[in-house]
């Protein structure tokens, strides 16, 4: 076989963390750099193993083991698979769901046709949710859907294993005014999502009831804001959402401090963390007419907040890439 690659983008929640656990909608932004899975011809003596960088108990690992159990001959026919994480394991941008999505797509092209004739995303989402059916609070799968679709994605749960997800077509110029900063360079920032959800499930407080009472009214403001392309209102909503999570103990102190720092600059309309405990990154709404951009970017960099780019409606979702060309030594180029 020719070496083959699949890729998908990273993701951050714009709005909707914790709310999706209560069946409410969420909006997610996808962005580069992209995650990759590469399939190469297996050489004689290569061990039959999981893709490089994929743990057996991860969603991707469990997907592959399940596929092999259903189709034992698959193991011997699998190519050598290598996963590339552009964030170098720092976490926060969907590495786990990227592994799962990419492997799901790769297996679909390598396996015999399955009885499940549903759409690839729907099928992948259903199995992903079933993996966590026994968890007190299972992950929503919103990241998986967003990375599969790309762009800015509106996600809404429709039951234990069903959902609707589509590209958000409203908002226009607002998306280029949402800047994303990674906080993973700051020590101790990452909060593992699955561990965090397990912890929530053991607490006496009910995050789902909180979402329905406190987050639902905030999310109800989104459609009108996007229709009007109201950057001031979107910035205020980001801050309101962040403050609500902070008041519920769902934001780490470092994110609170970073938000307050960013809001001191003229031209910053609102700031919100993103990820479990809002620890992974910041989404910053800017007024390009007022913000002194270079000064702001330099100040954020000195604070350990790395600028990744702005929301991009054109960011592609999961896709198969062109085969990788090899030189005479068999090593890929580029």
């Amino acid at each position: 076989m020719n070496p083959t690659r699949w890729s998908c983008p990273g993701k951050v929640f714009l709005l909707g963390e914790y709310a999706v656990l209560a069946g409410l909608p969420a909006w997610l932004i996808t962005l580069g750099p992209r995650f990759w899975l590469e399939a190469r011809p297996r050489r004689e003596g290569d061990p039959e193993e999981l893709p490089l960088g994929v743990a057996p108990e991860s969603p991707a690992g469990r997907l592959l083991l399940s596929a092999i159990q259903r189709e034992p001959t698959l193991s011997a026919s699998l190519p050598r698979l290598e996963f590339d994480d552009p964030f170098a394991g720092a976490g926060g941008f969907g590495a786990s769901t990227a592994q799962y999505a990419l492997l799901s797509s790769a297996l679909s092209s390598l396996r015999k046709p399955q009885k499940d004739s549903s759409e690839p995303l729907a099928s992948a989402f259903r199995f992903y949710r079933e993996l966590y059916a026994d968890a007190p609070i299972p992950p929503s799968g919103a990241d998986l859907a967003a990375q599969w679709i790309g762009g800015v994605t509106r996600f809404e749960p429709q039951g234990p294993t069903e959902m609707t997800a589509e590209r958000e077509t409203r908002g226009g110029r607002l998306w280029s005014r949402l800047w994303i900063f990674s906080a993973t360079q700051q020590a101790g920032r990452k909060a593992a999502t699955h561990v965090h959800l397990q912890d929530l499930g053991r607490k006496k407080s009910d995050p789902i009831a909180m979402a329905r009472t406190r987050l639902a009214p905030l999310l109800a403001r989104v459609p009108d804001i996007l229709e009007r392309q109201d950057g001031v209102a979107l910035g205020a909503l980001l801050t309101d959402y962040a403050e609500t999570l902070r008041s519920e103990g769902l934001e780490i102190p470092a994110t609170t401090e970073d938000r307050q720092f960013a809001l001191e600059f003229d031209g910053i309309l609102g700031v919100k963390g993103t990820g479990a405990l809002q620890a992974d990154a910041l989404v910053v709404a800017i007024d390009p007419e007022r913000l002194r951009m270079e000064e702001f970017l330099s100040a954020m960099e000195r604070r350990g907040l790395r600028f990744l780019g702005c929301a991009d409606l054109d960011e592609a979702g999961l896709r198969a890439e062109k085969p990788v060309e090899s030189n005479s030594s068999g090593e890929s180029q580029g």
Side-chain angles (χ1 to χ4, degrees):
M1 61 168 287
N2 291 324
T4 306
R5 279 181 157 187
W6 295 264
S7 75
C8 72
K11 62 78 201 173
V12 296
F13 270 86
L14 173 62
L15 290 160
E17 297 98 324
Y18 302 100
V20 291
L21 303 175
L24 298 169
W27 283 261
L28 298 93
I29 298 167
T30 59
L31 71 162
R34 297 172 70 83
F35 296 94
W36 296 82
L37 182 70
E38 184 170 332
R40 294 173 174 275
R42 187 174 292 279
R43 299 168 181 167
E44 186 176 354
D46 274 355
E48 294 178 4
E49 57 185 11
L50 290 171
L52 185 66
V54 175
E57 289 304 311
S58 69
R62 293 164 74 177
L63 170 66
L64 182 55
L65 293 175
S66 173
I68 291 172
Q69 287 174 356
R70 291 196 306 269
E71 190 178 333
T73 58
L74 178 65
S75 180
S77 63
L78 279 176
R80 185 158 55 98
L81 296 166
E82 297 180 5
F83 178 72
D84 178 59
D85 179 356
F87 298 99
F93 297 95
S96 176
T97 44
Q99 289 178 348
Y100 178 88
L102 293 169
L103 186 59
S104 179
S105 184
L107 288 175
S108 293
S109 70
L110 297 169
R111 295 163 60 196
K112 298 175 183 178
Q114 301 298 300
K115 293 181 180 179
D116 189 345
S117 60
S118 59
E119 290 296 322
L121 172 55
S123 178
F125 179 83
R126 187 177 306 114
F127 186 79
Y128 180 83
R129 290 281 291 176
E130 288 171 350
L131 286 176
Y132 297 97
D134 295 333
I137 301 180
S140 68
D143 349 33
L144 170 65
Q147 289 171 279
W148 201 292
I149 293 171
V152 178
T153 300
R154 184 185 187 278
F155 172 89
E156 188 164 0
Q158 298 292 337
T161 60
E162 305 295 330
M163 56 84 198
T164 58
E166 59 187 6
R167 286 201 175 210
E168 179 58 79
T169 59
R170 300 164 295 184
R173 67 181 184 277
L174 290 185
W175 304 118
S176 64
R177 299 178 181 182
L178 292 176
W179 286 7
I180 301 150
F181 292 83
S182 170
T184 58
Q185 294 182 102
Q186 297 180 359
R189 281 292 289 255
K190 176 58 184 165
T193 301
H194 298 98
V195 174
H196 174 55
L197 291 177
Q198 290 173 6
D199 291 341
L200 280 181
R202 289 191 288 264
K203 290 182 177 180
K204 294 181 179 179
S205 60
D206 186 350
I208 294 178
M210 180 279 295
R212 288 172 177 156
T213 57
R214 300 199 63 192
L215 299 180
L218 298 177
L219 294 172
R221 290 155 53 182
V222 176
D224 180 61
I225 289 173
L226 296 184
E227 290 288 355
R228 293 186 289 111
Q229 299 186 34
D230 189 336
V232 173
L234 181 57
L237 178 56
L238 291 177
T239 298
D240 288 348
Y241 200 96
E243 283 296 313
T244 300
L245 295 184
R246 181 197 60 76
S247 70
E248 293 288 339
L250 296 173
E251 178 180 86
I252 62 171
T255 298
T256 305
E257 294 167 6
D258 286 339
R259 288 196 300 106
Q260 292 170 346
F261 175 81
L263 286 168
E264 292 176 0
F265 287 80
D266 184 44
I268 299 302
L269 303 176
V271 188
K272 175 187 162 292
T274 182
L277 292 173
Q278 306 296 277
D280 299 336
L282 293 183
V283 179
V284 181
I286 71 162
D287 179 345
E289 302 298 323
R290 292 164 47 203
L291 181 64
R292 298 170 67 173
M293 297 183 185
E294 291 300 325
E295 177 184 334
F296 178 66
L297 290 172
S298 296
M300 295 291 274
E301 184 71 29
R302 289 193 298 271
R303 196 173 176 84
L305 296 165
R306 180 165 59 95
F307 179 58
L308 295 181
C310 61
D312 185 358
L313 287 174
D314 296 324
E315 182 68 49
L318 176 67
R319 68 187 180 194
E321 303 289 345
K322 293 180 180 179
V324 181
E325 296 181 2
S326 299
N327 59 25
S328 58
S329 66
E331 297 300 322
S332 62
Q333 302 295 301

